[in-house]
Every structure is written in structure tokens, then in C-alpha cells.
Amino acid sequence: MEKIILRRTSRILSGHLWIFSNELSTSPKNYEPGSLVEVYDNKNKFIGIGYINPHSLISVRLLTREREKINHDFFRKRIVNAINYRKRFLPESNSFRVIYSEGDFLPGLIVDKYADCLVIQFSTLGIEMMKAIVISVLDEILSPSVIVLRNDSQSRILEGLPLEKKAVKGSLDSLPIINEGEILIEVDPMTGQKTGFFLDQRENRVALSNYIKEGRGLDLFCYSGAWGLQLAKNGAFVTCVDDSETALSKAKRNFELNRLEDRCDFVKDDVFKFMKREMESGSLYDFIVLDPPAFVKSRAKVKEALKGYREINAMAMRLIKKGGMLATSSCSYHIEKAMFLDMLRDSARDAGRNPRLMEYRSQGRDHPILLSVPETEYLKCAFLEL
């Protein structure tokens, strides 16, 4: 195994797992892309073992701080630890994120379990080169009926990897159906967003249902209807809005699956345009769920994104009755918690409202946040009473 020496180590010694090219004492270009390297500080003290990609801004991602072989036994130990964590904190769920990349000390690897189906994402070259071992260990431990590789994230292009989607075990002749509290949800691992579903908001959706038991409201950017389903189950009437016919089709299917067709309707429209029309017509709602896609993909676009978040949240606040609730989120890592809350204050001022923050929440427990790697925390969710 080749050796690489760092010229700066404070961030790495504090627990971070990423080593950037400008932290190396020599150029990474002479190393085989995806190969394992031993990492040392400038006093020749061993730091750990990681994989290297000279074509990426993040040159090395650490896998371990021990002198150990990165083999079948290594991955088995890490994956068993991750599963035991989920069993401890999510004991009754048939679906969860099994591996959350750096949050489970396996950078570049995402694994989601939907009932008896596993969906795997290899987002970096180094972890891609260990693909056969990872799949074998997961199959051995969990024995799923179906394993899907959902390798279509844009991060793979930056790593020099092709995009692909395929089943490597079993077939998706029938789609997996998962439980979220008392709700049933059908997941499409091959064509759905991300790996098929947004597991990170599960605990937030269930928590919101503790506040809303009746009334009429909106599920904006509804995707497969998961927020609306929880509220309709409680007795509310929900209008699901999305500009994707595919998303609305999934949402309709899930409302039918739960026999809640009489508690909903569906609107195919651009959410900004829909809300503007509702304001013009004087419509008011008891609650609104606002869970948009990421408005920002890079730090350079933060100012522009905050403007969009501010506008759409102000519109939502104008559409809510006195005493009503807004559940609003941002999944953009570059929008930090303080920015998010400041944006909501600005939105409230624009809307002429003075909301109370009932709860501030983040991603579910199956997306563990590593304090030394702030990039593992990305989801912001606020419940506001207007």
C-alpha cells in the first residue's frame, strides 16, 4: 500500500474524514485512482487508511484510523455496527437507511432498505472498486429478495464514474411497500427520487401528525404524498401539488393504497404559480407543508437560493389562517441552520406575520450526524404556528 503525507492535519485529527488536495504534501496525480493509501502526518506518524482519487477535490476519504486490512471482514464489521445502531434506535421499522456514508464511517456508500429490497449507491471511485465485497456482505447479512444499484447521482460524474441503474439480485415485478407509522407507501427504487423515497423526513412527517388532526391544507412539492398521507390519516383534507405527473401518479396510488381517496385532491402545477393564484383568490388554509427540492447545489448560489426560499415561505405564510401551521424544510447543505431561521424571520416580516417556532427538527436517526463532519447534517425542518 502506498503512503501519502499531509502538510496540514488539524481538521483530520479532529475527526473529519475528508482530505483535500491542498492538504497533501505532494501532488496526488502520481497515485492510482481509487487505490488504498496509508496516511501520515508531516512527522511520519500514522493517521489512517483511505482511498484516493487524484481527479477529485476531495483527494482522500478515510476509512479507518487503525492499521487493518480493508477486506470482507472490515466491511462486515462496519455494516453490522450500522445495522445494530438501527435496531437499537428504530426497532419497529421495516425500512430505513442502512448505511449513511460518512455518518457510518463508510464514505461514498449509501444503502437504503425498503421492506425486502436493498438499494445501494456507490458515489465515489474508491468505494466503487470495493463494490463486489459490499454487495456480498449486505446480501450475506440481510438476505434481501432484491438488490438494486441506483448509481445515477451526479457526484459519480465528478469521480469519473458512469451512471447506471440496475437490479443485481431479484426483480422489481412488484414494488416494495413500506410502513411509516400506520401508513403504507409504495416505493419505486428504479425511477423514484434519490433511491426511491425520502426516508430522511420520516420522523418529521410522523411528528407533524401530532399537531394536525383536522382542517384543510396543502402538501406542496408533494412527490409521492408522504406528508399528506400522515395528515389525511388523522382526518385532515389535503391538496397535493406537484408539477410532475409521475409524482402525482405515485401520490394517488399511495392514497388509494391507504383508502384515503376521499381525504385528498391533486393539482399538477408549478408550486410558485399555484400559490400566487391562491393568494389572488383569497384562499386560506389550516396548514401547509412546504418541502421543496434543494434550491442550491453550491455555496456560490446560496444568496440566490435564500431569495427563493424567502419568497416561497412568505407566500405560504400569507395563505395560512390565524392559528394555522406551516411545516417548512430545506434539504440544501449549504443553507445552514442560522441562515434557514433568519430566512424564515425575513419571510414572516414580508408576509406581515409573527409566527411561533413549535419545533425545529433535522434528519431522521437513520441519517446519523457525525459532529466532526458537519457535511453529514443537511436537513432543516421547522414547524411554525402562524
Side-chain angles (χ1 to χ4, degrees):
M1 191 182 303
E2 291 200 68
K3 179 177 177 179
I4 200 159
I5 297 173
L6 305 186
R7 62 179 179 181
R8 291 203 296 271
T9 59
S10 60
R11 195 174 51 83
I12 306 307
L13 294 178
S14 296
H16 210 293
L17 304 181
W18 297 354
I19 299 171
F20 293 93
S21 57
N22 62 2
E23 294 174 312
L24 304 177
S25 62
T26 58
S27 170
K29 293 182 179 179
N30 295 326
Y31 294 83
E32 181 67 26
S35 63
L36 292 170
V37 292
E38 288 188 344
V39 180
Y40 291 80
D41 67 14
N42 56 14
K43 295 181 180 179
N44 210 35
K45 182 180 178 181
F46 176 80
I47 291 177
I49 297 172
Y51 56 78
I52 190 167
N53 187 350
H55 306 303
S56 173
L57 179 62
I58 305 171
S59 292
V60 179
R61 298 173 198 254
L62 286 179
L63 288 168
T64 179
R65 295 176 186 270
E66 306 292 331
R67 292 185 184 273
E68 57 183 324
K69 293 182 178 179
I70 309 301
N71 55 17
H72 182 279
D73 290 342
F74 169 83
F75 280 100
R76 180 178 176 81
K77 179 175 68 176
R78 284 290 165 88
I79 291 170
V80 166
N81 286 343
I83 292 170
N84 286 341
Y85 166 87
R86 273 76 182 171
K87 286 180 179 178
R88 180 182 175 193
F89 295 111
L90 296 161
E92 299 178 356
S93 178
N94 72 338
S95 304
F96 48 86
R97 176 148 289 183
V98 180
I99 303 290
Y100 176 48
S101 198
E102 285 81 5
D104 288 298
F105 305 99
L106 287 171
L109 180 63
I110 295 289
V111 182
D112 286 336
K113 181 180 184 294
Y114 299 118
D116 204 26
C117 173
L118 283 187
V119 185
I120 309 173
Q121 286 186 332
F122 299 94
S123 60
T124 60
L125 177 60
I127 206 74
E128 169 85 8
M129 294 182 72
M130 303 169 202
K131 179 168 66 176
I133 294 175
V134 171
I135 294 172
S136 173
V137 171
L138 286 165
D139 195 20
E140 175 187 319
I141 296 171
L142 294 172
S143 301
S145 298
V146 181
I147 298 177
V148 172
L149 299 189
R150 188 66 192 269
N151 292 327
D152 58 348
S153 67
Q154 294 302 301
S155 61
R156 283 177 62 90
I157 295 175
L158 300 175
E159 289 277 322
L161 292 168
L163 304 184
E164 63 172 359
K165 293 190 291 185
K166 64 180 180 180
V168 294
K169 179 183 179 182
S171 68
L172 288 169
D173 294 334
S174 59
L175 296 177
I177 294 176
I178 68 172
N179 300 98
E180 185 170 287
E182 299 179 5
I183 293 294
L184 300 176
I185 299 173
E186 185 179 78
V187 176
D188 189 342
M190 201 66 79
T191 65
Q193 295 283 347
K194 302 294 184 180
T195 65
F197 188 61
F198 294 102
L199 289 167
D200 52 0
Q201 287 274 30
R202 172 179 47 201
E203 294 172 33
N204 299 335
R205 290 188 288 259
V206 174
L208 183 63
S209 68
N210 294 324
Y211 291 95
I212 296 171
K213 310 292 184 183
E214 58 186 2
R216 299 178 67 91
L218 302 174
D219 182 358
L220 303 175
F221 303 100
C222 71
Y223 183 45
S224 56
W227 285 96
L229 283 162
Q230 290 288 350
L231 304 181
K233 182 75 172 179
N234 267 8
F237 187 93
V238 184
T239 297
C240 296
V241 184
D242 205 292
D243 66 356
S244 165
E245 191 63 58
T246 301
L248 290 175
S249 177
K250 294 178 189 295
K252 290 174 185 177
R253 163 66 177 149
N254 285 324
F255 273 85
E256 291 167 359
L257 192 63
N258 290 276
R259 299 180 180 177
L260 292 170
E261 304 98 313
D262 61 336
R263 309 298 310 166
C264 64
D265 58 14
F266 303 91
V267 176
K268 181 183 181 300
D269 203 352
D270 174 88
V271 169
F272 280 90
K273 293 178 180 177
F274 171 82
M275 294 173 77
K276 286 177 181 176
R277 283 202 310 274
E278 291 298 284
M279 286 191 297
E280 289 167 0
S281 68
S283 298
L284 290 174
Y285 293 91
D286 298 294
F287 61 87
I288 292 177
V289 174
L290 184 56
D291 188 11
F295 283 0
V296 56
K297 300 293 186 182
S298 69
R299 194 166 293 280
K301 299 288 186 180
V302 165
K303 187 175 181 180
E304 179 183 332
L306 284 171
K307 183 179 178 181
Y309 279 120
R310 177 174 175 172
E311 180 184 359
I312 201 168
N313 277 279
M315 287 194 289
M317 291 180 192
R318 290 187 182 104
L319 286 170
I320 295 174
K321 296 176 183 177
K322 184 176 181 180
M325 285 197 68
L326 170 64
T328 182
S329 299
S330 167
C331 60
S332 301
Y333 160 71
H334 296 290
I335 304 295
E336 298 168 358
K337 177 181 177 180
M339 292 180 189
F340 181 67
L341 293 176
D342 283 344
M343 174 275 296
L344 291 176
R345 293 184 190 99
D346 291 338
S347 296
R349 186 168 60 249
D350 294 346
R353 308 299 294 267
N354 194 13
R356 287 188 282 206
L357 178 63
M358 305 296 289
E359 285 194 50
Y360 175 83
R361 304 179 63 88
S362 186
Q363 62 229 48
R365 286 165 287 178
D366 54 349
H367 294 63
I369 297 164
L370 199 60
L371 286 180
S372 58
V373 184
E375 292 83 356
T376 55
E377 182 178 12
Y378 65 93
L379 185 62
K380 284 76 56 183
C381 180
F383 295 170
L384 304 175
E385 186 219 20
L386 276 297

